[in-house]
Amino acid sequence: LNDNLKIIEELESSVRSYVRSFPTVFTKAKGYKMWDMEGKEYIDFFSGAGALNYGHNDPKMKEKLVEYIMNDGITHSLDMATKAKVDFLDKFNEVILKPRNMDFKVMFPGPTGTNTVESALKLARKVTGRTDVISFTNGFHGMTIGSLSVTGNSSKRKGAGIPLQHVVTMPYDNFVSEDLDTLEYLERFLEDGGSGVDLPAAMILETVQGEGGINVARFEWLKKIEEICNKFGILLIIDDVQAGVGRTGTFFSFEPAGIKPDIVCLSKSIGGFGSPLALTLFKPELDIWNPGEHNGTFRGNNHAFVTATESLSYWEDKAFEESILRKSDKITEFLNSLVEKYPELKGEVKGRGFMQGIETPVSGLASKVAAAAFERGLIMETSGVEDQVFKLFPALIIDDEGLENGFKIIEESIKSIIK
Ligand code: PMP
């Protein structure tokens, strides 16, 4: 074991996880590259689980942040008004909401993804006066009790130590099979109020499940979900914490499906620079919070506002979106070629945009590929309940050379394992 990791082994709780997959001590990062204490260079195909869509240390964001600090810009302000917040809201409205004809109120629920999910669930229950929430198999929404209750992963749920109640888990798209219309069942189930089914406050889902194994919901499926929600007065919560902020090719992952969620959860890359920031967006008529009803100390990370504001400049340039789509086609092509060339993988290419991977039913194979890639200088994670998917999550700003070098490492790693 790497000597530099000794103190981590001795002192940090055994709960640690990513350090086990990537056992080294990192010191530096720039763009899509990272370096460790030995000076070894890595290509980052992980991007902080989607928190670094613009790469590490983006030069413009860095400049803005340094300038802000050097000018004694305020760091902490609870949810008081600051210039940094005003600038962020203004630009978010101008660059993201208005051009998409979206009318949302913005709430800062706390620093991380789980905070936005908690606030969304609370708001939906308060607005509807209903208790239950429909969640989906293999969904991932966070580790605090409310967000854990809608997370479809039994080993994570066990960690709660108490029954996670008032949630009904339904099959996600294709969970059973492509041909079985589980939504027809869901609709029928909700219709039959007389049989003892209480109507739920909300449905919560990811359009592409990140942690659950890169499962993609078809656009028709999402449209049908929206239709059912409208029919029964159920609020539709889209958790775009991982799939949002460009990860699937558009700013919001649900844009190409043409649906209009009532509540949207954003975090991870919304801060732009890897700094904690979370947003809950909801239709203005849902804004029935009493002042201070949902508060917290860290709802105004001004450093994150500064970098988030700068990050939105990427979205002012149509070429940025086009480049994500062009490069994601390259990723699909590469993954398809792997599946064809290496039948031993029994692989299936899954995903959308910069959120793709290969699922292999061969036990332990995806993790072996990721470990072999790490040895060769590539950081890549696995996902799914049995870690059956290795996922390619490069920063959206990666260039063709970075992609190709990463591809080479993945192919060499596969070759080294299946020989
Ligand atoms: N929702 C989704 C879709 C996520 O992927 C995650 C984190 N992986 C969360 C919520 C929770 O975010 P956080 O870890 O910042 O609490």
Side-chain angles (χ1 to χ4, degrees):
L1 189 76
N2 188 324
D3 267 359
N4 301 321
L5 276 167
K6 258 194 196 137
I7 188 102
I8 303 268
E9 286 285 314
E10 276 170 30
L11 284 185
E12 199 183 350
S13 149
S14 58
V15 78
R16 63 196 184 277
S17 65
Y18 292 124
V19 64
R20 297 181 199 273
S21 312
F22 311 119
T24 191
V25 180
F26 293 100
T27 51
K28 237 181 102 150
K30 200 166 164 42
Y32 62 84
K33 290 180 182 168
M34 294 176 81
W35 290 268
D36 70 8
M37 277 181 82
E38 264 86 51
K40 183 171 169 186
E41 184 177 294
Y42 298 85
I43 295 174
D44 186 2
F45 266 26
F46 180 32
S47 306
L52 291 160
N53 285 359
Y54 310 102
H56 299 266
N57 282 306
D58 177 90
K60 280 209 184 120
M61 292 183 220
K62 185 166 68 179
E63 206 181 296
K64 291 277 173 181
L65 185 57
V66 168
E67 187 185 293
Y68 184 80
I69 294 170
M70 294 314 281
N71 286 318
D72 293 325
I74 192 157
T75 299
H76 185 263
S77 53
L78 296 153
D79 77 341
M80 288 185 265
T82 61
K83 174 81 166 48
K85 182 197 269 191
V86 169
D87 289 348
F88 169 71
L89 282 174
D90 190 31
K91 195 156 173 184
F92 188 70
N93 194 33
E94 289 301 320
V95 176
I96 303 299
L97 297 182
K98 272 199 197 159
R100 291 167 179 77
N101 274 325
M102 288 180 180
D103 191 13
F104 282 126
K105 279 260 191 156
V106 180
M107 166 181 173
F108 301 102
T112 77
T114 198
N115 298 132
T116 161
V117 171
E118 294 286 347
S119 72
L121 297 174
K122 271 169 76 173
L123 183 64
R125 287 179 166 129
K126 186 174 157 75
V127 167
T128 59
R130 300 175 186 170
T131 311
D132 295 337
V133 171
I134 291 186
S135 64
F136 292 87
T137 48
N138 290 309
F140 187 97
H141 302 286
M143 286 296 105
T144 51
I145 297 300
S147 61
L148 187 55
S149 73
V150 287
T151 290
N153 177 313
S154 52
S155 74
K156 297 271 192 296
R157 293 174 70 86
K158 269 185 210 142
I162 53 165
L164 295 169
Q165 296 174 326
H166 305 301
V167 170
V168 180
T169 308
M170 300 299 296
Y172 192 70
D173 194 17
N174 282 337
F175 178 74
V176 187
S177 84
E178 214 172 299
D179 309 322
L180 190 70
D181 190 350
T182 49
L183 290 185
E184 197 178 321
Y185 165 74
L186 173 59
E187 193 172 1
R188 176 78 187 88
F189 169 76
L190 292 169
E191 247 157 22
D192 222 344
S195 68
V197 177
D198 292 327
L199 283 176
M203 291 197 202
I204 183 164
L205 58 111
E206 303 151 88
T207 64
V208 181
Q209 295 182 324
E211 302 303 317
I214 318 286
N215 308 311
V216 182
R218 289 166 295 182
F219 296 156
E220 317 87 81
W221 190 84
L222 293 170
K223 282 206 181 103
K224 182 77 186 164
I225 285 277
E226 181 184 53
E227 199 186 302
I228 295 174
C229 284
N230 289 340
K231 183 166 168 187
F232 297 100
I234 301 165
L235 297 177
L236 176 57
I237 305 171
I238 296 291
D239 179 348
D240 241 1
V241 167
Q242 187 161 155
V245 195
R247 190 40 66 187
T248 61
T250 46
F251 187 85
F252 294 105
S253 71
F254 53 84
E255 287 176 55
I259 57 167
K260 294 190 168 65
D262 299 288
I263 306 179
V264 180
C265 299
L266 287 178
S267 187
K268 291 200 194 272
S269 279
I270 190 66
F273 205 61
S275 331
L277 184 66
L279 259 58
T280 313
L281 311 179
F282 42 82
K283 292 188 173 159
E285 62 271 25
L286 306 184
D287 194 11
I288 62 160
W289 292 112
N290 295 315
E293 193 175 2
H294 183 100
N295 65 18
T297 308
F298 290 103
R299 281 171 301 148
N301 182 345
N302 288 287
H303 290 175
F305 286 143
V306 169
T307 52
T309 304
E310 181 54 38
S311 73
L312 297 176
S313 301
Y314 277 101
W315 297 94
E316 288 177 311
D317 181 6
K318 261 278 166 228
F320 177 61
E321 248 174 277
E322 285 160 15
S323 81
I324 307 176
L325 295 173
R326 182 187 65 75
K327 286 181 280 187
S328 47
D329 283 346
K330 229 176 133 114
I331 300 174
T332 316
E333 235 171 74
F334 166 67
L335 293 177
N336 282 333
S337 77
L338 282 185
V339 166
E340 226 170 82
K341 251 164 118 175
Y342 304 97
E344 298 90 336
L345 286 173
K346 301 192 174 74
E348 182 197 340
V349 179
K350 302 174 87 179
R352 194 148 80 68
F354 262 60
M355 202 169 177
Q356 299 190 54
I358 290 185
E359 174 159 353
T360 163
V362 185
S363 175
L365 185 57
S367 301
K368 277 189 201 149
V369 172
F374 180 70
E375 287 285 305
R376 290 167 175 75
L378 181 89
I379 299 172
M380 181 173 79
E381 244 306 19
T382 54
S383 86
V385 196
E386 282 158 352
D387 283 323
Q388 73 277 23
V389 180
F390 60 87
K391 64 181 202 183
L392 278 65
F393 252 59
L396 309 177
I397 50 86
I398 196 166
D399 55 19
D400 287 340
E401 189 190 344
L403 274 181
E404 279 152 24
N405 288 339
F407 293 167
K408 253 183 240 154
I409 295 181
I410 295 174
E411 182 156 7
E412 280 164 19
S413 307
I414 291 172
K415 269 195 214 156
S416 77
I417 289 161
I418 59 186
K419 286 179 193 106

